[in-house]
Amino acid sequence: MIKPLNIFSVVLLVCGTWVGPGFAERKPNVIVILADDLGFADVGFHGCKDIPTPHLDRLAASGVRCTNGYVSHSFCSPTRAGLMTGRYQQRFGHENNPAHEPDNLSLGLPVDETLLPKAIKPAGYVSGIIGKWHLGAAPPFHPLARGFDEQYGFTGGGHQYFAKQLIDRDSHYRSHIERNGKREPTTGYLTTLFSEEAAAFITRHKDDPFFLYLAYNAPHTPLQAPPEYIERCKHIDDDKRRVYGAMVCALDDGVGLVLDTLNKLDLDDDTLIFFLSDNGGPDTVTHASNAPLRGRKGQVYEGGIHVPFVVRWTGKLPAGAVYEQPVSSLDIFVTTLALTGAPAPPKPLDGVNLMPYLLGQAKGAPHERLFWRQGGGQAYAVREGVDKYLHIRGHDPEFYQLDSDLAEHHNVITSQADAADALQRKLDAWNSQLIDPLWQNPRAGKPKNANKAK
Ligand code: CA
């Protein structure tokens, strides 16, 4: 099982201690399981009562639950751009969703950015993506052109879930499912297919150090689930939430299959797993729940950006632990890079290696502050410690203290004017480093962050 290692490039953990470089263990596998539009409150480990998520709860119980886990954007594609680069996506103009235009060479994650699978390739990793891409549909943006060795899924931002609907219309949500860029006939329920493909990938590469990006489109719309999953949520009276819950159950089963596959292959100790959602739940659409957070997908309130976030590495990270300092989806890149020992790409990274923090060796917060910007400046937010300042265009600025007001009900900007001014200046400084969005959201005229500020 032990693979030949480059002793100059390996960083590893021994007996819970961050050391490196070393040369005693195989390089860890890394799996990122990304849910799509999963509500903050819709997992058992956040107290969900009506949707059973035993496997996600098992994952959380065997790893570290990051109770202040954030994504770098409140909707799909920009979050994924940040995750894949470890950089605030507004630095390179990826601030909106790209339309699904397979012939458009200007709609996709800019090709001069280095993506995680490419960055870790020199360390000997094989990388696979299963599921949703949403970082450009034209050939230069395809996962296989960005460092992935294997692909199964689709390049758009969402998809019909049943095989009979996966017909060749070359339209968004009905595009062919691809394997390694080639169309492949498909049968079954998409979420289950992705889970089975993930298990197959892990099995196929059990002797390799691998990176698996399992990017479910569930439980994003359209609300579609097989009868056996609907049955599990038959106690839910609300029609939309019943189907949404069934979709979460299918995703949960997939997480269970991944965990069981790792265990069967004796890879638990060799595999770091991240689980998170790409943004908050669109509660008004799918009847997801972000309780107790305010707001939803598309907003810079907590409900849009504060997500379920678990990190597990059996035998290395503590099991059943809670980590409360804010962490970001941007950290996945840097943490992975450090573990693999691959050199950093040339452009500055915004993420942080979380491992010393999760092990309790590094004190304080991984980030001095976290920033958000949407729509080229339609909405901003910054969190520093427990303080959060946000400003939505057309509305007065807001300031919340999240330790006592996680639900952002009490705007204390008047009594905290100096602190708010200080955060505004830091936000301005960060904003000055960004560029304008390279494209607009496909649905022009419906800005994602035109939210209820009052
Ligand atoms: Ca999403």
Side-chain angles (χ1 to χ4, degrees):
M1 190 68 76
I2 295 176
K3 309 295 292 182
L5 300 177
N6 175 354
I7 64 171
F8 299 108
S9 65
V10 177
V11 178
L12 63 139
L13 295 162
V14 177
C15 300
T17 301
W18 178 256
V19 296
F23 49 89
E25 297 182 355
R26 67 174 273 169
K27 298 180 183 182
N29 310 309
V30 177
I31 300 177
V32 176
I33 304 175
L34 191 66
D36 194 352
D37 289 12
L38 177 65
F40 181 80
D42 294 330
V43 288
F45 63 84
H46 279 180
C48 183
K49 301 297 185 194
D50 58 348
I51 302 171
T53 59
H55 301 297
L56 285 165
D57 300 345
R58 168 160 62 116
L59 177 69
S62 58
V64 181
R65 186 160 56 87
C66 296
T67 54
N68 282 287
Y70 286 92
V71 284
S72 62
H73 215 79
S74 71
F75 55 91
C76 301
S77 181
T79 284
R80 290 154 201 269
L83 194 161
M84 275 291 129
T85 59
R87 287 159 49 76
Y88 282 115
Q89 60 278 353
Q90 302 93 338
R91 293 193 187 283
F92 46 90
H94 199 125
E95 198 167 339
N96 290 307
N97 285 333
H100 185 68
E101 296 180 8
D103 298 322
N104 191 328
L105 298 177
S106 62
L107 280 179
L109 205 168
V111 295
D112 58 348
E113 295 292 325
T114 304
L115 274 56
L116 183 53
K118 186 173 182 182
I120 62 176
K121 196 179 286 289
Y125 275 71
V126 60
S127 295
I129 172 176
I130 294 165
K132 165 174 165 175
W133 180 233
H134 208 196
L135 294 174
F141 307 121
H142 193 275
L144 296 185
R146 306 309 299 267
F148 283 100
D149 302 292
E150 299 183 17
Q151 177 239 7
Y152 182 83
F154 58 90
T155 57
H159 213 283
Q160 301 289 321
Y161 284 89
F162 288 105
K164 64 183 180 184
Q165 298 163 312
L166 313 182
I167 52 178
D168 179 16
R169 295 185 185 176
D170 273 336
S171 64
H172 204 195
Y173 283 56
R174 290 185 186 274
S175 61
H176 269 287
I177 297 300
E178 298 180 2
R179 184 183 301 281
N180 298 330
K182 294 188 170 55
R183 296 175 174 190
E184 182 168 290
T186 304
T187 59
Y189 184 58
L190 206 52
T191 301
T192 302
L193 284 172
F194 291 160
S195 304
E196 292 169 346
E197 285 291 332
F201 178 91
I202 294 167
T203 303
R204 192 159 60 243
H205 295 294
K206 61 184 172 57
D207 295 326
D208 303 316
F210 64 76
F211 168 61
L212 172 61
Y213 177 43
L214 175 53
Y216 288 105
N217 54 315
H220 193 293
T221 55
L223 291 175
Q224 298 168 346
E228 59 269 28
Y229 284 112
I230 301 282
E231 177 71 15
R232 283 195 208 172
C233 291
K234 63 183 180 184
H235 53 278
I236 299 176
D237 290 334
D238 180 86
D239 289 343
K240 286 187 176 178
R241 184 163 175 85
R242 187 184 318 117
V243 182
Y244 166 81
M247 296 166 74
V248 174
C249 288
L251 186 158
D252 184 71
D253 269 5
V255 171
L257 181 62
V258 168
L259 297 181
D260 290 346
T261 303
L262 291 171
N263 184 260
K264 184 177 69 180
L265 297 172
D266 198 24
L267 290 175
D268 287 345
D269 292 353
D270 297 316
T271 306
L272 172 67
I273 303 174
F274 292 95
F275 171 82
L276 69 164
S277 180
D278 70 333
N279 50 251
D283 54 353
T284 57
V285 179
T286 62
H287 295 184
S289 173
N290 301 310
L293 309 180
R294 178 179 180 176
R296 59 193 59 86
K297 174 182 179 178
Q299 301 185 337
V300 294
Y301 292 112
E302 294 289 291
I305 55 179
H306 190 158
V307 295
F309 198 120
V310 174
V311 189
R312 186 188 96 162
W313 191 358
T314 303
K316 305 294 190 300
L317 295 175
V322 170
Y323 186 75
E324 296 181 336
Q325 295 283 5
V327 302
S328 169
S329 51
L330 301 174
D331 301 332
I332 292 172
F333 187 110
V334 181
T335 304
T336 301
L337 197 69
L339 287 170
T340 66
K347 296 185 180 180
L349 299 168
D350 292 305
V352 171
N353 177 11
L354 292 179
M355 209 51 65
Y357 292 93
L358 299 180
L359 286 166
Q361 296 160 358
K363 304 302 179 187
H367 298 268
E368 278 189 274
R369 57 198 71 87
L370 291 170
F371 297 103
W372 293 266
R373 187 184 85 176
Q374 297 188 178
Q378 294 180 39
Y380 294 95
V382 52
R383 177 175 176 169
E384 179 180 279
V386 299
D387 293 342
K388 182 175 173 186
Y389 170 89
L390 68 93
H391 191 186
I392 299 166
R393 183 176 293 170
H395 299 274
D396 293 334
E398 302 167 57
F399 189 89
Y400 299 98
Q401 294 182 308
L402 299 177
D403 54 340
S404 58
D405 184 23
L406 183 61
E408 298 173 297
H409 283 157
H410 306 290
N411 180 6
V412 293
I413 196 161
T414 302
S415 63
Q416 300 292 327
D418 290 346
D421 286 346
L423 279 186
Q424 170 71 71
R425 286 193 295 274
K426 291 166 183 170
L427 192 53
D428 288 344
W430 173 73
N431 190 46
S432 70
Q433 304 168 19
L434 312 179
I435 67 171
D436 291 337
L438 293 181
W439 59 82
Q440 298 303 311
N441 283 313
R443 283 184 235 171
K446 291 185 179 179
K448 291 278 185 180
N449 42 34
N451 48 23
K452 296 174 183 174
K454 296 178 181 174

